Amino acid sequence: MKKIKTGFHNLKDKLSITLKRLKTEHLISQYMKNNILFLTFVITAVINSTILRFFCMHMVENYLSVKAILADVTVAVLIGSFGYLFKPKNRFTYLIVANIFLTAICMINSVYYTFYTSFASVSMLSLTQYIGDVGDAVVENVLQLKDIVYIIGPIALTIVHLNLKKKNYYKKIEIKSERKKRMLSTLSASGILALIFLITMTPLDVSRFAKQWNKEYIVMRFGIYIYQANDLITTIQPKINSMFGYDKAKKEFTDYFADVKDEAEKNEYSNIFAGKNVIVIHAESMQTNGIGLKFNDQEVTPTLNRLTKEGMYFSNFYSQVSVGTSSDSELTYNTSLMPTKSGTAFVSYYDRTYISTPKLLKEKGYYTFSMHANNADFWNRRIMHENLGYDRFYSKQDYNVTKDNIIGLGLSDKEFFKQSVTKLKKINEKNENWYGTLIMLSNHTPFSDTEKYGDFEVNMKETITKEDGTTEEIVHPYMEGTKLGNYFKSYHYADEALGEFIDELDEAGLLENTVLVLYGDHDGRLPKADYNRLYNYDKENDDILSDEDPNYIKFDSYQYELGRKVPFLIWTKDMAGTKLNQEITNVMGMYDVMPTLGNMFGFYNKYQLGHDIFNIKENNIVVFPNGNWVTNKVYYNSQKEAYLSLSDEAISEEEIKKNNEYANKLLDVSDNIIVFDLLNENKEAMPEEKKGV
Ligand code: GP9
Ligand code: MN
């Protein structure tokens, strides 16, 4: 009896499972039947976006990226949901318009990518020259099947619609009152999908999304539709920012510069380099802490060590970057302005007027150029370098980049420099005076291409003498396997590339009338814990010393922040032993470079925010974009409202208050200059309502 009962129960369970499955299957097939047009819309939108990724980013994990597909589905469901507000017979019109719009996004980006190996931006549409370029590109490109394949989307949707119409489908599928309900449930579904997508986002995704410049990454993770929407918002935001407050901004600007002492005064370095050619090295992620550092008696940076000894070395120099990292340091180096408070100047304010070093040297007859073997659209350099006054930007397309000569993000520094020397020779033959910025790339986070950096060990070797008199070498792992350790390997490689470059320049006779200027663009963004290991290594236990150990060196957040210092140096072949061969220890920021070099080369920018270090000397203050600042005496952290004393001198509250006010004013004025385009002389002539950019 019991057996029969259990058997009956099992049968009942199985039956109910089958019934449930059948019910679900029925529901799904019912849903599909009732939503054929909507589903076709979603599927075609996702397929088009996937095809685009397939053509542009050939790796399977890029074009079949689950995250991107999820993002595309979310967007398509969201847009498609509003279709339910329309009567079934009109729904097709809505969906086909939306579909054509999404298809156009894919097509434009497909064409654009072929030409610029990057994705399109709405902001560029305001540049007439760009429109011309793309117009030509479209015409030349029109025969490429890969750019028109996307029309399968609208075609498929139309075919499905005509078929459904023929079958009288629209009359059958729903009654009026259901429309709103269906729209809301589809909208909720897109909300749930969006939530799942948000949960899967990593901090790197968030940061890259906010910065917007690494377009390939955004398209790979967020799909083309979200990329384009984000791009639209970043384009509009600066316009909104600059719509209100022009008069106040202009007044603050005028008052600020009325108070600032005209610094075009002479000192012993005035015009010392007038008429010399210039090579500026933008040294990716080079930090001061590598200079002089050794592992097992091997120098991390032999080239920099030599240059700092022979040249003029500014050993307390700080980069002043915000989220725009490399591009921010280029901005501040070239214009003596600070990065913007929101967005980045290079991406959001590329159309403002800037007074820059290349522009001022051009007025002196220099040919100006920049070289960077990466995609020209990275950080919007294609546009911004022209705006900053470079006559020519040599980018990836001007270099021979093969899969064998790549390190990290792109062409290896050694190969970049080698190929650049050939270009420099030609430039030198054609031009009396020239000024060029060379942007390095290999020493870039995450420093993981270790097998390509060459042999440089960051372990700790120790030779011990045993009781019997024989010796043995013990190897402690020390920094091997840490991110900081890998950074030093990468730094060593970049330094070696720099050394080879200088030798090649010398061989080509290009150093005779040339000043070499080098700045580290920002720190390597390395973990604090790794620095603790570097400075407090306990080799006996392969661990970190306890803070009670007499050899323990304190490395807290202050040391970390101050340790983000980068090298700045000026070097010529014949400088060693002259009055220029010296170390400058006064604190100096990236914004002080333009005024300092200006004095040496004989140009002057009235609207510079920094100072000639040889005028301001020990009274200098370096302001950071987050409101922190540092002087020779004190480092102030504005978030913590706390400071670290750097000298024996007492620090008064008054002094802190005064410097805080100065820092805030400077940041406001700098931001206003960029946002309200205050250096644009034509602005004054504009009617009041048009002054907002
Ligand atoms: C990109 C390179 C790196 O071309 O300059 O930029 P970053 O990530 O350092 O800002
Ligand atoms: Mn950088």
Side-chain angles (χ1 to χ4, degrees):
M1 191 62 184
K2 215 177 179 185
K3 256 189 185 170
I4 298 174
K5 243 187 176 177
T6 335
F8 180 72
H9 273 297
N10 282 349
L11 192 70
K12 212 174 121 193
D13 286 351
K14 271 187 195 152
L15 252 170
S16 85
I17 292 170
T18 320
L19 269 175
K20 261 188 203 156
R21 216 186 62 216
L22 281 175
K23 214 170 158 190
T24 322
E25 276 171 12
H26 174 74
L27 275 176
I28 293 175
S29 83
Q30 211 38 46
Y31 176 82
M32 283 167 72
K33 262 190 206 152
N34 285 344
N35 298 278
I36 296 175
L37 202 66
F38 166 78
L39 289 172
T40 314
F41 169 80
V42 172
I43 292 166
T44 52
V46 175
I47 290 180
N48 269 354
S49 174
T50 311
I51 295 178
L52 177 73
R53 285 197 304 278
F54 173 73
F55 285 136
C56 302
M57 297 179 282
H58 310 282
M59 273 144 72
V60 68
E61 62 266 36
N62 291 348
Y63 61 82
L64 285 186
S65 146
V66 181
K67 283 190 186 180
I69 292 174
L70 179 61
D72 290 337
V73 173
T74 311
V75 173
V77 171
L78 175 75
I79 297 177
S81 68
F82 295 103
Y84 288 112
L85 289 178
F86 296 87
K87 284 181 191 154
K89 63 177 174 130
N90 295 336
R91 193 166 300 152
F92 169 71
T93 317
Y94 169 79
L95 289 179
I96 192 76
V97 170
N99 196 291
I100 290 172
F101 179 70
L102 297 182
T103 304
I105 290 180
C106 293
M107 274 175 127
I108 291 168
N109 278 286
S110 185
V111 174
Y112 189 82
Y113 199 92
T114 314
F115 278 79
Y116 299 110
T117 26
S118 180
F119 294 99
S121 169
V122 183
S123 61
M124 313 283 175
L125 291 174
S126 56
L127 302 172
T128 39
Q129 182 206 345
Y130 170 85
I131 292 171
D133 285 353
V134 172
D136 292 348
V138 173
V139 174
E140 280 172 42
N141 214 29
V142 84
L143 288 176
Q144 290 202 16
L145 184 67
K146 69 168 195 51
D147 298 326
I148 44 175
V149 73
Y150 306 95
I151 55 168
I152 56 158
I155 291 176
L157 196 65
T158 313
I159 293 174
V160 170
H161 162 68
L162 292 176
N163 253 321
L164 294 176
K165 209 170 150 190
K166 220 158 89 190
K167 289 181 189 158
N168 248 346
Y169 172 83
Y170 295 120
K171 291 212 174 107
K172 292 183 241 163
I173 55 169
E174 71 197 7
I175 43 166
K176 193 181 165 195
S177 62
E178 274 183 345
R179 290 216 299 267
K180 210 167 158 195
K181 217 168 98 194
R182 293 181 77 183
M183 181 281 226
L184 285 175
S185 55
T186 317
L187 197 65
S188 318
S190 77
I192 293 167
L193 288 168
L195 206 71
I196 299 172
F197 180 75
L198 286 175
I199 292 167
T200 61
M201 264 166 83
T202 64
L204 186 70
D205 294 342
V206 178
S207 123
R208 295 232 160 135
F209 186 69
K211 291 179 188 174
Q212 179 74 6
W213 64 270
N214 195 336
K215 298 175 178 175
E216 265 148 338
Y217 185 91
I218 299 177
V219 172
M220 185 180 82
R221 293 289 158 91
F222 296 82
I224 192 68
Y225 308 123
I226 293 191
Y227 158 78
Q228 209 73 77
N230 184 30
D231 167 71
L232 182 70
I233 293 165
T234 14
T235 306
I236 294 170
Q237 200 192 0
K239 308 252 180 263
I240 296 170
N241 286 354
S242 59
M243 253 151 65
F244 311 99
Y246 176 87
D247 290 338
K248 188 168 164 269
K250 176 81 192 191
K251 189 179 175 309
E252 274 176 20
F253 163 80
T254 318
D255 293 351
Y256 180 87
F257 285 103
D259 284 352
V260 170
K261 183 161 100 238
D262 193 339
E263 268 210 58
E265 61 182 46
K266 304 272 176 227
N267 59 40
E268 58 176 317
Y269 300 100
S270 302
N271 298 317
I272 46 164
F273 293 137
K276 292 237 187 227
N277 299 327
V278 193
I279 292 179
V280 181
I281 313 267
H282 170 116
E284 178 59 46
S285 302
M286 284 195 182
Q287 269 175 243
T288 308
N289 62 18
I291 294 176
L293 186 70
K294 287 180 184 171
F295 286 88
N296 305 310
D297 239 15
Q298 303 289 311
E299 295 170 297
V300 175
T301 61
T303 311
L304 280 183
N305 294 351
R306 174 167 78 85
L307 298 183
T308 52
K309 278 197 196 90
E310 294 173 359
M312 186 179 264
Y313 173 44
F314 304 80
S315 55
N316 267 313
F317 182 82
Y318 292 91
S319 143
Q320 293 161 295
V321 299
S322 178
V323 292
T325 46
S326 273
S327 73
D328 280 346
S329 77
E330 283 189 59
L331 173 90
T332 307
Y333 170 89
N334 277 306
T335 65
S336 191
L337 294 175
M338 293 294 286
T340 46
K341 291 181 180 175
S342 77
T344 61
F346 265 48
V347 177
S348 310
Y349 302 98
Y350 60 86
D351 55 354
R352 305 309 201 243
T353 302
Y354 296 98
I355 299 174
S356 66
T357 298
K359 278 188 191 166
L360 296 178
L361 281 175
K362 253 161 79 128
E363 284 173 12
K364 293 188 160 288
Y366 278 64
Y367 173 69
T368 60
F369 58 92
S370 56
M371 294 174 167
H372 183 45
N374 200 9
N375 191 324
D377 285 318
F378 262 59
W379 285 129
N380 202 21
R381 286 186 176 109
R382 187 196 303 280
I383 308 292
M384 261 311 269
H385 277 204
E386 191 182 334
N387 192 7
L388 285 176
Y390 289 113
D391 290 318
R392 169 87 155 88
F393 174 27
Y394 296 83
S395 68
K396 188 176 179 180
Q397 66 208 49
D398 299 289
Y399 287 83
N400 178 23
V401 186
T402 66
K403 66 174 184 348
D404 301 322
N405 60 20
I406 283 179
I407 291 185
L409 285 188
L411 186 65
S412 72
D413 282 346
K414 287 192 182 179
E415 196 54 37
F416 164 62
F417 281 137
K418 205 165 276 148
Q419 294 184 31
S420 298
V421 172
T422 318
K423 299 182 201 311
L424 286 167
K425 278 189 208 159
K426 288 199 187 121
I427 290 169
N428 189 47
E429 276 161 23
K430 285 199 199 133
N431 300 280
E432 181 73 22
N433 272 138
W434 45 266
Y435 172 91
T437 302
L438 277 75
I439 302 175
M440 297 174 76
L441 189 59
S442 298
N443 186 34
H444 191 278
T445 194
F447 317 109
S448 51
D449 251 355
T450 42
E451 75 284 1
K452 296 190 183 166
Y453 300 147
D455 292 330
F456 187 74
E457 293 179 354
V458 291
N459 52 25
M460 192 184 270
K461 288 183 181 145
E462 199 183 8
T463 311
I464 53 160
T465 314
K466 290 199 261 183
E467 273 172 23
D468 61 2
T470 56
T471 57
E472 190 193 344
E473 188 178 63
I474 298 181
V475 182
H476 305 283
Y478 194 21
M479 299 311 289
E480 286 293 345
T482 65
K483 190 166 179 193
L484 183 58
N486 290 348
Y487 168 72
F488 288 131
K489 287 174 192 242
S490 160
Y491 198 166
H492 182 75
Y493 166 84
D495 179 85
E496 206 166 69
L498 187 65
E500 288 177 12
F501 177 51
I502 293 171
D503 291 346
E504 285 156 15
L505 286 173
D506 204 11
E507 263 167 48
L510 288 166
L511 286 180
E512 303 313 316
N513 187 38
T514 303
V515 178
L516 201 112
V517 174
L518 179 142
Y519 64 85
D521 68 337
H522 48 74
D523 70 318
R525 294 160 272 186
L526 297 148
K528 192 160 144 254
D530 284 7
Y531 283 108
N532 239 324
R533 189 172 173 91
L534 178 73
Y535 298 123
N536 293 307
Y537 186 54
D538 172 4
K539 62 181 181 200
E540 308 309 330
N541 303 306
D542 185 27
D543 205 345
I544 294 168
L545 293 174
S546 116
D547 53 6
E548 273 147 33
D549 194 286
N551 294 322
Y552 182 82
I553 298 168
K554 194 172 164 204
F555 194 84
D556 62 14
S557 58
Y558 281 123
Q559 273 80 35
Y560 182 80
E561 285 165 38
L562 288 166
R564 298 171 76 186
K565 252 183 268 202
V566 295
F568 176 56
L569 63 92
I570 302 171
W571 178 91
T572 63
K573 201 181 160 184
D574 52 4
M575 200 186 260
T578 68
K579 71 165 183 175
L580 298 174
N581 179 198
Q582 55 175 308
E583 179 180 340
I584 314 292
T585 55
N586 288 323
V587 290
M588 183 177 179
M590 195 66 85
Y591 63 7
D592 298 315
V593 173
M594 187 186 199
T596 305
L597 287 185
N599 178 51
M600 292 172 154
F601 283 89
F603 62 83
Y604 179 62
N605 169 12
K606 189 166 176 271
Y607 300 111
Q608 59 201 18
L609 294 174
H611 301 275
D612 177 354
I613 193 70
F614 296 110
N615 282 347
I616 191 107
K617 296 177 183 155
E618 64 280 357
N619 297 320
N620 202 18
I621 168 168
V622 177
V623 175
F624 296 98
N626 58 3
N628 294 3
W629 48 263
V630 65
T631 65
N632 279 359
K633 280 164 63 180
V634 57
Y635 172 62
Y636 180 80
N637 184 309
S638 66
Q639 282 86 62
K640 292 185 196 146
E641 296 188 355
Y643 62 84
L644 176 76
S645 182
L646 301 174
S647 76
D648 298 335
E649 274 182 60
I651 293 130
S652 67
E653 283 305 315
E654 198 53 35
E655 199 175 334
I656 299 282
K657 198 169 156 240
K658 199 181 96 223
N659 283 349
N660 266 340
E661 279 166 11
Y662 175 81
N664 290 333
K665 182 106 241 152
L666 184 139
L667 290 172
D668 281 346
V669 170
S670 180
D671 202 56
N672 286 340
I673 287 177
I674 299 175
V675 171
F676 293 99
D677 200 12
L678 298 178
L679 302 180
N680 182 351
E681 283 172 359
N682 302 326
K683 260 282 146 79
E684 280 310 288
M686 284 183 193
E688 213 48 44
E689 69 278 8
K690 289 241 168 103
K691 280 179 181 164
V693 183

